[in-house]
Amino acid sequence: MPATVYYDDAANSALIADKRVAILGYGSQGHAHALNLKESGVDVIVGLREGSSSKAKAESAGLTVMNTGAAVAAADIIMVLLPDTEQKKVYDDDIAPNLAAGKSLAFAHGFNIHFGRIKPPADIDVWMIAPKGPGHLVRRTYEEGGGVPCLVAVAQDATSKAKDVALAYAQAIGGTRAGVLDTTFQEETETDLFGEQVVLCGGLVELIKNGYETLVEAGYQPESAYFETLHEVKLIVDLIYEGGITAMHYSISDTAEYGDLTRGPRVVTQDTKAEMKKILGEIQSGEFAKEWVAENENGRPNFNRLRQEAIDHPIEKVGAELRAMMPWISAGRKRVQDVSGG
Ligand code: NAD
Ligand code: MG
């Protein structure tokens, strides 16, 4: 069954024009949602914790800032744009005590609702507008008159207007200009985790590192290995992004295409796919979520060690040196915290 996609004509802006929105957090997504809503004429406040370093930034952008609890109490729609690992605590301390029947509790990623970490009362609408791109793109495309495609999902519909309010919100941040895809909290959460673990981050980085190590261990210069296994990834990904795999194949040489078609399946094998299915199973069963929550509660010992090992990999040293010779690369760099959007 093809997915439903909503555009501007499906959104009724009146459903947000009469409401006040609190954006909790002023990070990657928070600043983009808050500023886009404001420029769309929506009554928006930013909720931050006492002493937040973002307060001055949000105020100098012309936004009203309140403490988290006060912002929740003052708003009809509460969009939670805090780090996923912090959301439960903030919900327990500052959000839950200030909710009232008929308000909307909104998210940009389904983790805490889907895995039952946050359990809102039944008289609250719970929905998601998840932009499929980092915050700076949500902001920039809006300023340019466009938007970033979003996902919409409803977990609780106490008012029987949750989907329509969500679409009005999506329109106000620019999402319906690009298309808003109908999904569920379960599908968004599980596919998002799967994508980042298996393909976008986990899979890709291991592919790069193993390719680099193979060349260097065979005696090739680290600089050559870096260009072939990391730098050029972007050129290929851009071609795939713009025109699909066929267009990428059209642009590369026949030699490269023949190598792709015959050698690719020897690198990523049926064993790899079997492992992908296992990883998906761990996501679906909640095992991954349980592990990640416990890791955070224990002070992140494994995460910190693995992060340091990744930083210390030789490809990072040679890469830093080479990129210093290509200043145009870092000039275009923006903080991209979550490539897949969640
Ligand atoms: P972020 O880390 O960029 O920003 C989080 C904000 O919350 C910051 O302003 C931070 O100062 C504040 N904060 C941190 N801890 C806090 C606490 N304990 N109490 C109050 N405030 C606190 O986060 P983000 O990347 O914008 O992610 C927000 C949500 O959007 C998450 O649910 C994420 O999954 C989702 N999302 C992110 C992206 C992305 O590309 N970054 C894309 C789609 C959806
Ligand atoms: Mg993601």
Side-chain angles (χ1 to χ4, degrees), residues 192 196 338 340-342:
D192 186 73
E196 65 203 19
D338 183 341
S340 64

Side-chain angles (χ1 to χ4, degrees), residues 26-29 49 82 84 87 108-109 134 335 337-338 341-342:
Y26 199 71
S28 173
Q29 290 293 325
R49 58 191 154 173
L82 306 166
D84 296 300
Q87 290 182 7
H109 178 40
R335 180 166 163 267
Q337 197 185 44
D338 183 341

Side-chain angles (χ1 to χ4, degrees), residues 130-133 138 141 147-151 174-181 241:
K132 290 281 93 185
V138 174
T141 52
V148 165
C150 295
L151 303 179
T176 51
R177 295 169 180 170
V180 179
L181 186 82
Y241 177 83

Side-chain angles (χ1 to χ4, degrees), residues 194 197-211 259-277 279:
F194 180 80
Q197 292 178 16
V198 165
V199 178
L200 306 171
C201 309
L204 180 61
V205 167
E206 281 313 300
L207 207 53
I208 290 171
K209 284 202 292 202
N210 280 282
D260 162 340
L261 296 170
T262 58
R263 268 55 180 177
R266 288 171 52 188
V267 176
V268 177
T269 65
Q270 286 307 305
D271 285 347
T272 316
K273 190 168 174 189
E275 197 61 30
M276 289 182 176
K277 291 188 175 180
I279 291 170

Side-chain angles (χ1 to χ4, degrees), residues 116-153:
R117 306 252 307 140
I118 293 176
K119 292 198 176 77
D123 57 4
I124 298 290
D125 283 354
V126 180
W127 47 262
M128 165 168 40
I129 291 295
K132 290 281 93 185
H136 78 266
L137 263 190
V138 174
R139 180 64 187 143
R140 193 179 79 205
T141 52
Y142 178 90
E143 286 180 296
E144 291 167 356
V148 165
C150 295
L151 303 179
V152 61

